[in-house]
Amino acid sequence: MNLMNNMDSENRVVLNVGGIRHETYKATLKKIPATRLSRLTEALGNYDPVLNEYFFDRHPGVFAQVLNYYRTGKLHYPTDVCGPLFEEELSFWGLDSNQVEPCCWMTYTQHRNTQETLAVLDRLDLDTEKPTDEEVAKKFGFEDAYNKGKVSWWQHLKPQIWSLFDEPYSSNAAKIIGIISVFFICVSIISFCLKTHPDMRVPYIRNITVKTANQNTSWVLDKTQTNAHIAFFYIECVCNAWFTFEIMVRFISSPSKLRFITSSVNIIDYIATLSFFIDLILQRFASHLENADILEFFSIIRIMRLFKLTRHSSGLKILIQTFRASAKELTLLVFFLVLGIVIFASLVYYAERIQINPHNDFNSIPLGLWWALVTMTTVGYGDMTPKTYIGMFVGALCALAGVLTIALPVPVIVSNFTMYYSHTQARAKLPKRRRRVCPVELSRPPRLPGQAGPGVCNTGSGKLPSSNAPSTGSMDQAIRRMNANRTITKDVILPKMETKEPVGNV
């Protein structure tokens, strides 16, 4: 019996992971080859010959699932562990994270979606934290000059100008510049709208000489058109002067000229500003043309300046990003709308022709397309209505199909907006500075009695511990002997053997 116990103990191995001792068979660790646990030997630096165990300073909760994977062949994800930590632990043990069971896959992959969301928020530049001088030097491309201590006056002034005009929350002065910019945007939009009101326009009157029936000459005042009041012209001149100055300053001080030019908001900005000067030129040299009024249509580009407000509002940035993230759902919505519009326009066209209907509004399928679009979007202008019973039935189906089609992607869009907004609020509440830790895992070489253990993360002194300090190796052995009394998890629980007391000689 003692021989069997010795053979069984030789086939077992003790693994101390983060202070929790696990015991299993060596054959169990050989089930998954080419992993860290399948190559355990006593020559490794983390083997303790005193306690006859292997020590790993890793997360014990994740290792419980790792060891269970060796036993059962099924890898489950612990819900009390962060996803990146689980991936890091699996990478340390040499396991593939794609082997997670389907029942845990949705929970496990949530952290990947979170990381993608955080990466998007990083690109949106929603942080109000002031960057360090090193980060500013790296952003503006004079990192070498900063490391050498040879930063010129322009390299020192350029980031400050950029922060003033492009980062409204970086300082109080930047907030003032941002308020001025928003003020001119609002004044420009209001002026653009008010100058089309009839009470805000001035009639253009011409004196026309006419001859009467008696061959007499007479003067007639002819009102041919109306022009906007001259005050709106001066308002637009002041606003566009500010916009031009802002574009030039931001372009000169931008970290990357190519990225500045290709930015969508900047494209809208300088096209809208350029349209004002083009309008002035056309009024000066092309006002005598017959269709010169058509050229005023291009001035509607100036209304697009509203998108400049995204630089001053994180909510607008999140809203625009929500529509980008929901592009597939919006495309699917448009597809089903077009499909339903074509089907119901054709049905209502033929349904209205089956019965006698002298007041038929659906003279063609293209006219029915307009009715189907208005009905499916639940607007219902009432300019076209079916008159027959079959047409009314088709209209009822069209309205129900429109409600269901539009309602399907709405929860997805709302969910995306909630996700981005909640992460933005969480990032705003995070501490700005965190204590840095050493990211390098130090090796554990074999230790001799009385020899100091491996050094910890150097804090900058670069000195070894003094000889008067207690030996790290002896302290580790003492702690491990104390932990040896803890519960040992076993792969197989052997039945308890009954022992008999030896009978003495009579």
Side-chain angles (χ1 to χ4, degrees):
M1 186 62 65
N2 293 332
L3 180 61
M4 293 178 60
N5 291 335
N6 292 334
M7 293 178 62
D8 185 71
S9 62
E10 290 179 357
N11 292 329
R12 296 199 301 264
V13 60
V14 179
L15 304 172
N16 188 341
V17 181
I20 306 298
R21 304 177 75 241
H22 304 264
E23 186 172 356
T24 186
Y25 286 109
K26 295 180 180 179
T28 303
L29 303 181
K30 299 294 183 181
K31 291 182 179 180
I32 306 178
T35 58
R36 186 180 293 270
L37 294 178
S38 65
R39 298 190 294 264
L40 291 179
T41 61
E42 296 182 358
L44 295 176
N46 56 349
Y47 176 72
D48 192 342
V50 177
L51 298 177
N52 191 24
E53 66 181 19
Y54 295 89
F55 178 76
F56 296 93
D57 191 15
R58 308 299 300 186
H59 195 284
V62 176
F63 182 76
Q65 301 299 329
V66 170
L67 187 58
N68 186 67
Y69 179 45
Y70 280 87
R71 292 168 176 165
T72 63
K74 296 181 179 180
L75 181 59
H76 293 277
Y77 172 68
T79 56
D80 58 340
V81 176
C82 188
L85 174 61
F86 185 70
E87 285 187 346
E88 183 181 352
E89 292 295 315
L90 292 183
S91 176
F92 174 81
W93 299 112
L95 300 177
D96 187 8
S97 60
N98 293 328
Q99 301 300 322
V100 176
E101 290 298 306
C103 60
C104 301
W105 184 256
M106 291 298 297
T107 306
Y108 164 65
T109 54
Q110 285 181 356
H111 76 279
R112 297 182 179 178
N113 298 331
T114 302
Q115 289 177 331
E116 293 178 358
T117 303
L118 294 177
V120 170
L121 295 179
D122 288 336
R123 292 195 299 268
L124 292 179
D125 194 17
L126 299 176
D127 291 334
T128 59
E129 180 183 0
K130 185 177 181 180
T132 62
D133 294 339
E134 184 178 358
E135 293 173 348
V136 170
K138 184 177 180 180
K139 179 180 180 180
F140 284 84
F142 56 89
E143 189 176 7
D144 295 338
Y146 174 79
N147 294 330
K148 296 178 182 179
K150 299 180 179 178
V151 180
S152 63
W153 66 271
W154 173 242
Q155 291 174 341
H156 180 73
L157 185 62
K158 184 178 179 181
Q160 297 180 4
I161 298 176
W162 175 257
S163 299
L164 281 176
F165 285 87
D166 196 75
E167 299 174 0
Y169 301 101
S170 60
S171 62
N172 292 330
K175 291 180 181 179
I176 296 175
I177 298 295
I179 293 174
I180 295 175
S181 180
V182 172
F183 172 76
F184 279 111
I185 292 174
C186 295
V187 170
S188 177
I189 299 301
I190 294 173
S191 173
F192 178 80
C193 297
L194 288 180
K195 72 178 183 179
T196 60
H197 195 277
D199 294 338
M200 300 291 179
R201 301 184 68 85
V202 178
Y204 180 74
I205 301 175
R206 294 186 306 170
N207 292 330
I208 301 177
T209 304
V210 295
K211 291 184 179 181
T212 62
N214 299 328
Q215 298 299 323
N216 295 326
T217 303
S218 176
W219 296 90
V220 178
L221 298 179
D222 184 20
K223 178 183 176 182
T224 57
Q225 61 181 6
T226 59
N227 295 330
H229 196 276
I230 191 63
F232 292 106
F233 172 75
Y234 294 113
I235 291 174
E236 289 188 355
C237 287
V238 174
C239 293
N240 282 275
W242 168 260
F243 295 142
T244 305
F245 170 74
E246 186 181 24
I247 292 174
M248 293 177 61
V249 171
R250 293 178 63 242
F251 177 76
I252 294 173
S253 61
S254 62
S256 175
K257 300 296 188 294
L258 179 62
R259 185 179 300 177
F260 180 87
I261 294 175
T262 56
S263 176
S264 57
V265 178
N266 294 332
I267 290 175
I268 294 174
D269 195 5
Y270 49 71
I271 288 180
T273 305
L274 188 62
S275 66
F276 170 75
F277 296 103
I278 293 177
D279 192 18
L280 288 180
I281 296 174
L282 293 177
Q283 289 180 3
R284 177 70 176 177
F285 299 102
S287 59
H288 60 281
L289 299 178
E290 294 183 359
N291 297 326
D293 295 338
I294 301 177
L295 300 176
E296 293 184 0
F297 174 78
F298 295 100
S299 62
I300 200 170
I301 300 175
R302 302 174 201 172
I303 205 73
M304 304 297 288
R305 282 202 181 101
L306 286 172
F307 289 99
K308 290 181 61 177
L309 297 177
T310 56
R311 291 196 291 112
H312 308 276
S313 174
S314 59
L316 289 177
K317 291 183 179 180
I318 296 173
L319 182 61
I320 294 175
Q321 183 58 39
T322 299
F323 287 115
R324 289 179 180 176
S326 308
K328 293 182 180 179
E329 289 78 13
L330 292 175
T331 304
L332 191 64
L333 171 63
V334 172
F335 172 75
F336 282 117
L337 275 178
V338 171
L339 187 63
I341 287 170
V342 174
I343 292 175
F344 287 108
S346 303
L347 288 177
V348 76
Y349 171 73
Y350 289 104
E352 289 291 290
R353 295 171 64 89
I354 292 177
Q355 300 179 3
I356 299 175
N357 185 9
H359 303 289
N360 186 10
D361 295 330
F362 302 91
N363 297 323
S364 63
I365 293 180
L367 290 176
L369 293 176
W370 165 253
W371 169 84
L373 174 62
V374 172
T375 304
M376 291 193 71
T377 55
T378 66
V379 176
Y381 289 116
D383 54 344
M384 299 176 62
T385 55
K387 304 297 189 304
T388 63
Y389 291 107
I390 300 178
M392 293 178 184
F393 179 73
V394 172
L397 293 179
C398 181
L400 292 176
V403 171
L404 295 176
T405 302
I406 295 176
L408 287 177
V410 170
V412 179
I413 299 174
V414 174
S415 176
N416 288 335
F417 181 82
T418 304
M419 177 182 62
Y420 285 115
Y421 187 79
S422 61
H423 281 293
T424 303
Q425 296 298 317
R427 283 162 55 94
K429 297 178 181 178
L430 286 176
K432 300 304 181 182
R433 296 297 177 186
R434 300 178 184 177
R435 184 180 59 183
R436 295 183 178 180
V437 295
C438 183
V440 180
E441 181 182 355
L442 302 179
S443 60
R444 300 176 61 88
R447 299 188 297 272
L448 298 177
Q451 180 181 359
V456 297
C457 181
N458 192 356
T459 58
S461 60
K463 297 179 180 180
L464 296 175
S466 62
S467 59
N468 297 330
S471 174
T472 307
S474 60
M475 292 178 63
D476 288 345
Q477 292 180 3
I479 294 174
R480 292 186 185 182
R481 289 191 180 94
M482 294 173 62
N483 294 333
N485 296 325
R486 297 184 179 180
T487 304
I488 303 176
T489 60
K490 297 186 177 181
D491 185 27
V492 179
I493 301 177
L494 298 176
K496 184 177 181 181
M497 304 297 296
E498 295 182 358
T499 58
K500 295 182 179 181
E501 295 181 357
V503 180
N505 296 329
V506 180

